[in-house]
PDB file of all heavy atoms in Angstrom:
ATOM      1  N   LEU B  44      -6.199  -0.442 -16.152  1.00 95.00           N
ATOM      2  CA  LEU B  44      -6.792  -1.069 -17.337  1.00 95.00           C
ATOM      3  C   LEU B  44      -7.233  -2.512 -16.897  1.00 95.00           C
ATOM      4  O   LEU B  44      -6.460  -3.238 -16.230  1.00 95.00           O
ATOM      5  CB  LEU B  44      -5.765  -1.197 -18.437  1.00 95.00           C
ATOM      6  CG  LEU B  44      -5.462   0.099 -19.217  1.00 95.00           C
ATOM      7  CD1 LEU B  44      -4.505   0.994 -18.464  1.00 95.00           C
ATOM      8  CD2 LEU B  44      -4.920  -0.258 -20.598  1.00 95.00           C
ATOM      9  N   MET B  45      -8.362  -2.909 -17.410  1.00 95.00           N
ATOM     10  CA  MET B  45      -8.861  -4.244 -17.190  1.00 95.00           C
ATOM     11  C   MET B  45      -8.973  -5.000 -18.517  1.00 95.00           C
ATOM     12  O   MET B  45      -9.616  -4.500 -19.454  1.00 95.00           O
ATOM     13  CB  MET B  45     -10.237  -4.249 -16.500  1.00 95.00           C
ATOM     14  CG  MET B  45     -10.717  -5.609 -16.132  1.00 95.00           C
ATOM     15  SD  MET B  45     -12.460  -5.626 -15.653  1.00 95.00           S
ATOM     16  CE  MET B  45     -13.220  -5.604 -17.295  1.00 95.00           C
ATOM     17  N   LEU B  46      -8.277  -6.112 -18.622  1.00 94.00           N
ATOM     18  CA  LEU B  46      -8.346  -6.852 -19.899  1.00 94.00           C
ATOM     19  C   LEU B  46      -9.691  -7.457 -20.025  1.00 94.00           C
ATOM     20  O   LEU B  46     -10.277  -8.102 -19.162  1.00 94.00           O
ATOM     21  CB  LEU B  46      -7.271  -7.978 -19.846  1.00 94.00           C
ATOM     22  CG  LEU B  46      -7.205  -8.861 -21.103  1.00 94.00           C
ATOM     23  CD1 LEU B  46      -6.751  -8.045 -22.338  1.00 94.00           C
ATOM     24  CD2 LEU B  46      -6.261 -10.041 -20.867  1.00 94.00           C
ATOM     25  N   MET B  47     -10.314  -7.218 -21.244  1.00 96.00           N
ATOM     26  CA  MET B  47     -11.606  -7.765 -21.526  1.00 96.00           C
ATOM     27  C   MET B  47     -11.513  -9.050 -22.350  1.00 96.00           C
ATOM     28  O   MET B  47     -12.176 -10.046 -22.015  1.00 96.00           O
ATOM     29  CB  MET B  47     -12.436  -6.768 -22.357  1.00 96.00           C
ATOM     30  CG  MET B  47     -12.704  -5.451 -21.620  1.00 96.00           C
ATOM     31  SD  MET B  47     -13.545  -4.251 -22.746  1.00 96.00           S
ATOM     32  CE  MET B  47     -15.116  -5.098 -22.911  1.00 96.00           C
ATOM     33  N   ALA B  48     -10.703  -9.049 -23.370  1.00 95.00           N
ATOM     34  CA  ALA B  48     -10.656 -10.201 -24.276  1.00 95.00           C
ATOM     35  C   ALA B  48      -9.435 -10.204 -25.113  1.00 95.00           C
ATOM     36  O   ALA B  48      -8.775  -9.141 -25.339  1.00 95.00           O
ATOM     37  CB  ALA B  48     -11.915 -10.189 -25.138  1.00 95.00           C
ATOM     38  N   THR B  49      -9.090 -11.371 -25.621  1.00 91.00           N
ATOM     39  CA  THR B  49      -7.956 -11.532 -26.542  1.00 91.00           C
ATOM     40  C   THR B  49      -8.510 -12.022 -27.850  1.00 91.00           C
ATOM     41  O   THR B  49      -9.344 -13.024 -27.867  1.00 91.00           O
ATOM     42  CB  THR B  49      -7.020 -12.619 -25.989  1.00 91.00           C
ATOM     43  OG1 THR B  49      -6.512 -12.186 -24.732  1.00 91.00           O
ATOM     44  CG2 THR B  49      -5.815 -12.817 -26.934  1.00 91.00           C
ATOM     45  N   SER B  50      -8.139 -11.444 -28.983  1.00 89.00           N
ATOM     46  CA  SER B  50      -8.639 -11.920 -30.275  1.00 89.00           C
ATOM     47  C   SER B  50      -7.449 -12.265 -31.182  1.00 89.00           C
ATOM     48  O   SER B  50      -6.480 -11.532 -31.249  1.00 89.00           O
ATOM     49  CB  SER B  50      -9.491 -10.817 -30.921  1.00 89.00           C
ATOM     50  OG  SER B  50      -8.716  -9.706 -31.404  1.00 89.00           O
ATOM     51  N   ASN B  51      -7.613 -13.408 -31.756  1.00 85.00           N
ATOM     52  CA  ASN B  51      -6.637 -13.886 -32.745  1.00 85.00           C
ATOM     53  C   ASN B  51      -7.258 -13.871 -34.117  1.00 85.00           C
ATOM     54  O   ASN B  51      -8.440 -14.245 -34.289  1.00 85.00           O
ATOM     55  CB  ASN B  51      -6.167 -15.299 -32.349  1.00 85.00           C
ATOM     56  CG  ASN B  51      -5.394 -15.343 -31.083  1.00 85.00           C
ATOM     57  OD1 ASN B  51      -4.329 -14.762 -30.978  1.00 85.00           O
ATOM     58  ND2 ASN B  51      -5.916 -16.034 -30.117  1.00 85.00           N
ATOM     59  N   GLU B  52      -6.486 -13.441 -35.101  1.00 83.00           N
ATOM     60  CA  GLU B  52      -6.964 -13.334 -36.444  1.00 83.00           C
ATOM     61  C   GLU B  52      -7.546 -14.669 -36.927  1.00 83.00           C
ATOM     62  O   GLU B  52      -6.917 -15.704 -36.833  1.00 83.00           O
ATOM     63  CB  GLU B  52      -5.822 -12.884 -37.383  1.00 83.00           C
ATOM     64  CG  GLU B  52      -6.222 -12.609 -38.783  1.00 83.00           C
ATOM     65  CD  GLU B  52      -5.998 -13.727 -39.692  1.00 83.00           C
ATOM     66  OE1 GLU B  52      -5.186 -14.590 -39.357  1.00 83.00           O
ATOM     67  OE2 GLU B  52      -6.636 -13.863 -40.765  1.00 83.00           O
ATOM     68  N   GLY B  53      -8.802 -14.548 -37.385  1.00 83.00           N
ATOM     69  CA  GLY B  53      -9.495 -15.687 -37.957  1.00 83.00           C
ATOM     70  C   GLY B  53     -10.101 -16.642 -36.968  1.00 83.00           C
ATOM     71  O   GLY B  53     -10.683 -17.700 -37.397  1.00 83.00           O
ATOM     72  N   SER B  54     -10.073 -16.389 -35.693  1.00 85.00           N
ATOM     73  CA  SER B  54     -10.689 -17.287 -34.755  1.00 85.00           C
ATOM     74  C   SER B  54     -11.514 -16.437 -33.736  1.00 85.00           C
ATOM     75  O   SER B  54     -11.468 -15.241 -33.692  1.00 85.00           O
ATOM     76  CB  SER B  54      -9.624 -18.129 -34.058  1.00 85.00           C
ATOM     77  OG  SER B  54      -8.744 -17.285 -33.363  1.00 85.00           O
ATOM     78  N   LYS B  55     -12.271 -17.208 -32.925  1.00 88.00           N
ATOM     79  CA  LYS B  55     -13.113 -16.554 -31.936  1.00 88.00           C
ATOM     80  C   LYS B  55     -12.240 -15.961 -30.808  1.00 88.00           C
ATOM     81  O   LYS B  55     -11.243 -16.471 -30.431  1.00 88.00           O
ATOM     82  CB  LYS B  55     -14.100 -17.577 -31.320  1.00 88.00           C
ATOM     83  CG  LYS B  55     -15.226 -18.023 -32.254  1.00 88.00           C
ATOM     84  CD  LYS B  55     -16.152 -18.928 -31.586  1.00 88.00           C
ATOM     85  CE  LYS B  55     -17.294 -19.349 -32.480  1.00 88.00           C
ATOM     86  NZ  LYS B  55     -18.289 -20.246 -31.826  1.00 88.00           N
ATOM     87  N   ALA B  56     -12.787 -14.829 -30.243  1.00 92.00           N
ATOM     88  CA  ALA B  56     -12.089 -14.167 -29.188  1.00 92.00           C
ATOM     89  C   ALA B  56     -12.187 -14.994 -27.912  1.00 92.00           C
ATOM     90  O   ALA B  56     -13.139 -15.716 -27.721  1.00 92.00           O
ATOM     91  CB  ALA B  56     -12.680 -12.792 -28.962  1.00 92.00           C
ATOM     92  N   THR B  57     -11.209 -14.817 -27.071  1.00 93.00           N
ATOM     93  CA  THR B  57     -11.198 -15.418 -25.695  1.00 93.00           C
ATOM     94  C   THR B  57     -11.522 -14.342 -24.745  1.00 93.00           C
ATOM     95  O   THR B  57     -10.726 -13.328 -24.592  1.00 93.00           O
ATOM     96  CB  THR B  57      -9.847 -16.035 -25.430  1.00 93.00           C
ATOM     97  OG1 THR B  57      -9.513 -17.027 -26.408  1.00 93.00           O
ATOM     98  CG2 THR B  57      -9.911 -16.691 -24.003  1.00 93.00           C
ATOM     99  N   TYR B  58     -12.602 -14.476 -23.960  1.00 95.00           N
ATOM    100  CA  TYR B  58     -13.043 -13.418 -23.046  1.00 95.00           C
ATOM    101  C   TYR B  58     -12.580 -13.728 -21.640  1.00 95.00           C
ATOM    102  O   TYR B  58     -12.520 -14.861 -21.191  1.00 95.00           O
ATOM    103  CB  TYR B  58     -14.547 -13.306 -23.091  1.00 95.00           C
ATOM    104  CG  TYR B  58     -15.113 -12.720 -24.376  1.00 95.00           C
ATOM    105  CD1 TYR B  58     -15.259 -13.543 -25.503  1.00 95.00           C
ATOM    106  CD2 TYR B  58     -15.430 -11.375 -24.463  1.00 95.00           C
ATOM    107  CE1 TYR B  58     -15.743 -13.034 -26.666  1.00 95.00           C
ATOM    108  CE2 TYR B  58     -15.942 -10.872 -25.661  1.00 95.00           C
ATOM    109  CZ  TYR B  58     -16.087 -11.660 -26.747  1.00 95.00           C
ATOM    110  OH  TYR B  58     -16.546 -11.153 -27.925  1.00 95.00           O
ATOM    111  N   GLU B  59     -12.251 -12.665 -20.889  1.00 95.00           N
ATOM    112  CA  GLU B  59     -11.853 -12.810 -19.515  1.00 95.00           C
ATOM    113  C   GLU B  59     -13.056 -13.082 -18.696  1.00 95.00           C
ATOM    114  O   GLU B  59     -14.214 -12.787 -19.130  1.00 95.00           O
ATOM    115  CB  GLU B  59     -11.147 -11.555 -19.010  1.00 95.00           C
ATOM    116  CG  GLU B  59      -9.835 -11.276 -19.702  1.00 95.00           C
ATOM    117  CD  GLU B  59      -8.818 -12.344 -19.484  1.00 95.00           C
ATOM    118  OE1 GLU B  59      -8.496 -12.670 -18.318  1.00 95.00           O
ATOM    119  OE2 GLU B  59      -8.234 -12.863 -20.516  1.00 95.00           O
ATOM    120  N   GLN B  60     -12.870 -13.675 -17.529  1.00 95.00           N
ATOM    121  CA  GLN B  60     -13.993 -14.031 -16.690  1.00 95.00           C
ATOM    122  C   GLN B  60     -14.796 -12.752 -16.317  1.00 95.00           C
ATOM    123  O   GLN B  60     -14.231 -11.728 -15.966  1.00 95.00           O
ATOM    124  CB  GLN B  60     -13.484 -14.650 -15.382  1.00 95.00           C
ATOM    125  CG  GLN B  60     -14.550 -15.312 -14.544  1.00 95.00           C
ATOM    126  CD  GLN B  60     -13.895 -16.118 -13.393  1.00 95.00           C
ATOM    127  OE1 GLN B  60     -12.710 -16.041 -13.167  1.00 95.00           O
ATOM    128  NE2 GLN B  60     -14.723 -16.864 -12.700  1.00 95.00           N
ATOM    129  N   GLY B  61     -16.083 -12.872 -16.412  1.00 95.00           N
ATOM    130  CA  GLY B  61     -16.961 -11.783 -16.035  1.00 95.00           C
ATOM    131  C   GLY B  61     -17.294 -10.831 -17.194  1.00 95.00           C
ATOM    132  O   GLY B  61     -18.113  -9.932 -17.067  1.00 95.00           O
ATOM    133  N   VAL B  62     -16.700 -10.993 -18.363  1.00 96.00           N
ATOM    134  CA  VAL B  62     -16.992 -10.146 -19.548  1.00 96.00           C
ATOM    135  C   VAL B  62     -17.984 -10.860 -20.412  1.00 96.00           C
ATOM    136  O   VAL B  62     -17.772 -12.013 -20.824  1.00 96.00           O
ATOM    137  CB  VAL B  62     -15.731  -9.871 -20.315  1.00 96.00           C
ATOM    138  CG1 VAL B  62     -16.001  -9.032 -21.558  1.00 96.00           C
ATOM    139  CG2 VAL B  62     -14.693  -9.141 -19.471  1.00 96.00           C
ATOM    140  N   GLU B  63     -19.128 -10.195 -20.660  1.00 94.00           N
ATOM    141  CA  GLU B  63     -20.204 -10.833 -21.461  1.00 94.00           C
ATOM    142  C   GLU B  63     -19.824 -10.851 -22.949  1.00 94.00           C
ATOM    143  O   GLU B  63     -19.800  -9.775 -23.609  1.00 94.00           O
ATOM    144  CB  GLU B  63     -21.476 -10.058 -21.244  1.00 94.00           C
ATOM    145  CG  GLU B  63     -21.948 -10.034 -19.824  1.00 94.00           C
ATOM    146  CD  GLU B  63     -23.166  -9.093 -19.681  1.00 94.00           C
ATOM    147  OE1 GLU B  63     -24.227  -9.435 -20.338  1.00 94.00           O
ATOM    148  OE2 GLU B  63     -23.132  -8.070 -18.965  1.00 94.00           O
ATOM    149  N   LYS B  64     -19.661 -12.021 -23.499  1.00 93.00           N
ATOM    150  CA  LYS B  64     -19.273 -12.097 -24.943  1.00 93.00           C
ATOM    151  C   LYS B  64     -20.391 -11.656 -25.857  1.00 93.00           C
ATOM    152  O   LYS B  64     -20.128 -11.240 -26.996  1.00 93.00           O
ATOM    153  CB  LYS B  64     -18.820 -13.463 -25.276  1.00 93.00           C
ATOM    154  CG  LYS B  64     -19.832 -14.574 -25.085  1.00 93.00           C
ATOM    155  CD  LYS B  64     -19.265 -15.936 -25.462  1.00 93.00           C
ATOM    156  CE  LYS B  64     -20.331 -17.044 -25.347  1.00 93.00           C
ATOM    157  NZ  LYS B  64     -19.772 -18.376 -25.665  1.00 93.00           N
ATOM    158  N   ASP B  65     -21.645 -11.822 -25.445  1.00 95.00           N
ATOM    159  CA  ASP B  65     -22.752 -11.407 -26.315  1.00 95.00           C
ATOM    160  C   ASP B  65     -22.963  -9.899 -26.316  1.00 95.00           C
ATOM    161  O   ASP B  65     -23.669  -9.360 -27.152  1.00 95.00           O
ATOM    162  CB  ASP B  65     -24.036 -12.112 -25.870  1.00 95.00           C
ATOM    163  CG  ASP B  65     -23.982 -13.620 -26.135  1.00 95.00           C
ATOM    164  OD1 ASP B  65     -23.232 -14.026 -27.051  1.00 95.00           O
ATOM    165  OD2 ASP B  65     -24.586 -14.349 -25.372  1.00 95.00           O
ATOM    166  N   LYS B  66     -22.367  -9.241 -25.298  1.00 96.00           N
ATOM    167  CA  LYS B  66     -22.559  -7.807 -25.201  1.00 96.00           C
ATOM    168  C   LYS B  66     -21.341  -7.077 -25.908  1.00 96.00           C
ATOM    169  O   LYS B  66     -21.529  -6.046 -26.494  1.00 96.00           O
ATOM    170  CB  LYS B  66     -22.613  -7.362 -23.735  1.00 96.00           C
ATOM    171  CG  LYS B  66     -22.830  -5.875 -23.594  1.00 96.00           C
ATOM    172  CD  LYS B  66     -23.140  -5.464 -22.197  1.00 96.00           C
ATOM    173  CE  LYS B  66     -23.446  -4.026 -22.112  1.00 96.00           C
ATOM    174  NZ  LYS B  66     -24.566  -3.553 -22.934  1.00 96.00           N
ATOM    175  N   PHE B  67     -20.225  -7.672 -25.756  1.00 97.00           N
ATOM    176  CA  PHE B  67     -19.007  -7.083 -26.312  1.00 97.00           C
ATOM    177  C   PHE B  67     -18.523  -7.993 -27.431  1.00 97.00           C
ATOM    178  O   PHE B  67     -17.770  -8.954 -27.198  1.00 97.00           O
ATOM    179  CB  PHE B  67     -17.941  -6.892 -25.270  1.00 97.00           C
ATOM    180  CG  PHE B  67     -18.332  -6.001 -24.162  1.00 97.00           C
ATOM    181  CD1 PHE B  67     -18.764  -6.464 -22.910  1.00 97.00           C
ATOM    182  CD2 PHE B  67     -18.300  -4.637 -24.287  1.00 97.00           C
ATOM    183  CE1 PHE B  67     -19.192  -5.702 -21.891  1.00 97.00           C
ATOM    184  CE2 PHE B  67     -18.668  -3.771 -23.285  1.00 97.00           C
ATOM    185  CZ  PHE B  67     -19.086  -4.305 -22.076  1.00 97.00           C
ATOM    186  N   LEU B  68     -19.009  -7.739 -28.683  1.00 96.00           N
ATOM    187  CA  LEU B  68     -18.652  -8.562 -29.808  1.00 96.00           C
ATOM    188  C   LEU B  68     -17.343  -8.150 -30.399  1.00 96.00           C
ATOM    189  O   LEU B  68     -17.106  -6.986 -30.764  1.00 96.00           O
ATOM    190  CB  LEU B  68     -19.763  -8.440 -30.861  1.00 96.00           C
ATOM    191  CG  LEU B  68     -21.195  -8.813 -30.395  1.00 96.00           C
ATOM    192  CD1 LEU B  68     -22.180  -8.607 -31.518  1.00 96.00           C
ATOM    193  CD2 LEU B  68     -21.230 -10.240 -29.903  1.00 96.00           C
ATOM    194  N   ILE B  69     -16.441  -9.133 -30.539  1.00 95.00           N
ATOM    195  CA  ILE B  69     -15.140  -8.877 -31.074  1.00 95.00           C
ATOM    196  C   ILE B  69     -14.942  -9.612 -32.406  1.00 95.00           C
ATOM    197  O   ILE B  69     -15.187 -10.794 -32.453  1.00 95.00           O
ATOM    198  CB  ILE B  69     -14.030  -9.187 -30.044  1.00 95.00           C
ATOM    199  CG1 ILE B  69     -14.115  -8.232 -28.876  1.00 95.00           C
ATOM    200  CG2 ILE B  69     -12.629  -9.173 -30.703  1.00 95.00           C
ATOM    201  CD1 ILE B  69     -13.211  -8.626 -27.722  1.00 95.00           C
ATOM    202  N   ASN B  70     -14.450  -8.921 -33.383  1.00 92.00           N
ATOM    203  CA  ASN B  70     -14.183  -9.515 -34.700  1.00 92.00           C
ATOM    204  C   ASN B  70     -12.703  -9.145 -35.096  1.00 92.00           C
ATOM    205  O   ASN B  70     -12.355  -8.012 -35.059  1.00 92.00           O
ATOM    206  CB  ASN B  70     -15.148  -8.983 -35.737  1.00 92.00           C
ATOM    207  CG  ASN B  70     -14.973  -9.693 -37.063  1.00 92.00           C
ATOM    208  OD1 ASN B  70     -14.097  -9.299 -37.860  1.00 92.00           O
ATOM    209  ND2 ASN B  70     -15.698 -10.734 -37.332  1.00 92.00           N
ATOM    210  N   HIS B  71     -11.942 -10.183 -35.489  1.00 89.00           N
ATOM    211  CA  HIS B  71     -10.571  -9.954 -35.884  1.00 89.00           C
ATOM    212  C   HIS B  71     -10.432 -10.582 -37.260  1.00 89.00           C
ATOM    213  O   HIS B  71      -9.828 -11.665 -37.397  1.00 89.00           O
ATOM    214  CB  HIS B  71      -9.653 -10.580 -34.858  1.00 89.00           C
ATOM    215  CG  HIS B  71      -8.211 -10.197 -34.992  1.00 89.00           C
ATOM    216  ND1 HIS B  71      -7.358 -10.318 -33.950  1.00 89.00           N
ATOM    217  CD2 HIS B  71      -7.506  -9.700 -36.045  1.00 89.00           C
ATOM    218  CE1 HIS B  71      -6.130  -9.915 -34.350  1.00 89.00           C
ATOM    219  NE2 HIS B  71      -6.239  -9.522 -35.580  1.00 89.00           N
ATOM    220  N   ALA B  72     -10.947  -9.923 -38.266  1.00 83.00           N
ATOM    221  CA  ALA B  72     -11.081 -10.491 -39.590  1.00 83.00           C
ATOM    222  C   ALA B  72      -9.843 -10.449 -40.426  1.00 83.00           C
ATOM    223  O   ALA B  72      -9.703 -11.237 -41.338  1.00 83.00           O
ATOM    224  CB  ALA B  72     -12.227  -9.769 -40.348  1.00 83.00           C
ATOM    225  N   SER B  73      -8.897  -9.605 -40.067  1.00 90.00           N
ATOM    226  CA  SER B  73      -7.661  -9.544 -40.798  1.00 90.00           C
ATOM    227  C   SER B  73      -6.511  -9.315 -39.844  1.00 90.00           C
ATOM    228  O   SER B  73      -6.731  -9.056 -38.664  1.00 90.00           O
ATOM    229  CB  SER B  73      -7.701  -8.376 -41.838  1.00 90.00           C
ATOM    230  OG  SER B  73      -7.519  -7.112 -41.216  1.00 90.00           O
TER     231      SER B  73
END
Side-chain angles (χ1 to χ4, degrees):
Chain B
L44 287 78
M45 186 193 78
L46 180 66
M47 299 175 67
T49 302
S50 73
N51 293 298
E52 185 262 339
S54 63
K55 288 185 179 181
T57 302
Y58 290 81
E59 296 297 306
Q60 191 171 9
V62 178
E63 300 174 60
K64 62 180 180 180
D65 295 329
K66 181 167 184 61
F67 299 100
L68 302 179
I69 293 172
N70 184 276
H71 192 159
S73 78

